[in-house]
Amino acid sequence: MGTSLDDLRTVFGEGPTHAQLLLVGEQPGDREDVEGHPFVGPAGALLDRALAEAGIDRTTTYVTNAVKHFKWTAKGKRRIHQKPNAGEVEACRPWLDAEIESVRPKIVVALGATAAQALLGKDFRVTQHRGEFFEHDGRPTVTDTVHPSSILRARDDEARHREMAAFVDDLRTVAKRLAEVAAG
C-alpha cells in the first residue's frame, strides 16, 4: 500500500499575500497532509524556532512546497515519506509559479534539494551553492539552504546542534539581505 490518487490531498502555501520572504520546501509531511497546512509538523516547529532565532517573523513569511501532496508508503500504521519524482515536481510547478507571481516576494528561499532544483534547475546542488543568492531579471532573488527535516535526521545531538546553527546562520543572512533590499 502507498500513495494512490484517492490518497492525494492538496496542501497549498500560506502566509501574507504580499510577503517579502517566501520559503519553499519539498512536499507536505504526514501532519501537514492531515491538517491541510504547510510546515505544521516537526520540521515546521524546527523552522519556526530557526526563523525566530534569525529574527524573522514567520507571520510575515509565506510558506509553501514545491510539490503540493504528501507522497508516502505504508510501514505498519505509519505513513513514511517518499521523495517526489521529477514528474511530480513538474506537475506542481504551475502552482508554485502562481504562488510566487501572486505573492511577489523579494527573496525566495529553497529549503532542500527538491525545492532548489524546482526553482534553479535539476542540476543544482545545495551542497555546492548553499547560501548563494541568484538574481533573475524581473524575478525574485532565490537562495537555498537545507530543509529543516534534514536537521531532525542528523545522526546525533552534536550534529543536530551544528546543523541547526548553520541553518540559523543561513536565515540570518537572508534577514540581512531583506533589510538591505528594504533600505533600497
Side-chain angles (χ1 to χ4, degrees):
M1 181 175 176
T3 306
S4 73
L5 288 177
D6 294 333
D7 298 322
L8 296 179
R9 293 182 192 95
T10 304
V11 179
F12 292 106
E14 294 181 342
T17 56
H18 298 292
Q20 298 286 304
L21 179 62
L22 188 145
L23 304 176
V24 181
E26 178 184 83
Q27 69 176 338
D30 183 64
R31 287 266 312 276
E32 289 80 6
D33 183 55
V34 169
E35 295 184 31
H37 302 284
F39 288 97
V40 294
L46 192 141
L47 175 63
D48 289 348
R49 195 173 100 219
L51 287 168
E53 285 183 38
I56 298 171
D57 182 355
R58 169 141 175 197
T59 66
T60 66
T61 302
Y62 191 93
V63 293
T64 193
N65 286 293
V67 174
K68 308 302 182 192
H69 64 275
F70 176 46
K71 183 177 180 181
W72 57 276
T73 187
K75 186 171 185 179
K77 293 182 179 183
R78 295 181 54 205
R79 298 187 313 164
I80 305 301
H81 164 273
Q82 286 189 312
K83 182 179 174 77
N85 63 40
E88 291 159 333
V89 172
E90 189 61 31
C92 292
R93 183 61 195 251
W95 282 322
L96 179 58
D97 288 343
E99 287 175 306
I100 293 169
E101 179 63 29
S102 176
V103 174
R104 300 178 103 41
K106 299 294 184 200
I107 298 178
V108 175
V109 178
L111 301 171
T114 299
Q117 290 172 354
L119 293 164
L120 297 165
K122 64 181 175 109
D123 295 327
F124 186 86
R125 298 292 175 260
V126 174
T127 54
Q128 295 172 357
H129 301 287
R130 181 176 178 172
E132 291 181 30
F133 288 88
F134 299 89
E135 309 284 339
H136 303 282
D137 289 335
R139 301 187 73 180
T141 298
V142 177
T143 189
D144 67 299
T145 186
V146 297
H147 193 284
S149 64
S150 69
I151 298 167
L152 296 172
R153 292 189 307 267
R155 69 182 177 277
D156 57 40
D157 287 342
E158 184 180 325
R160 272 188 293 284
H161 178 74
R162 188 174 50 252
E163 285 301 314
M164 180 65 169
F167 184 49
V168 170
D169 284 346
D170 291 344
L171 293 174
R172 282 188 181 120
T173 300
V174 169
K176 180 180 176 189
R177 184 73 171 255
L178 272 174
E180 291 169 356
V181 168

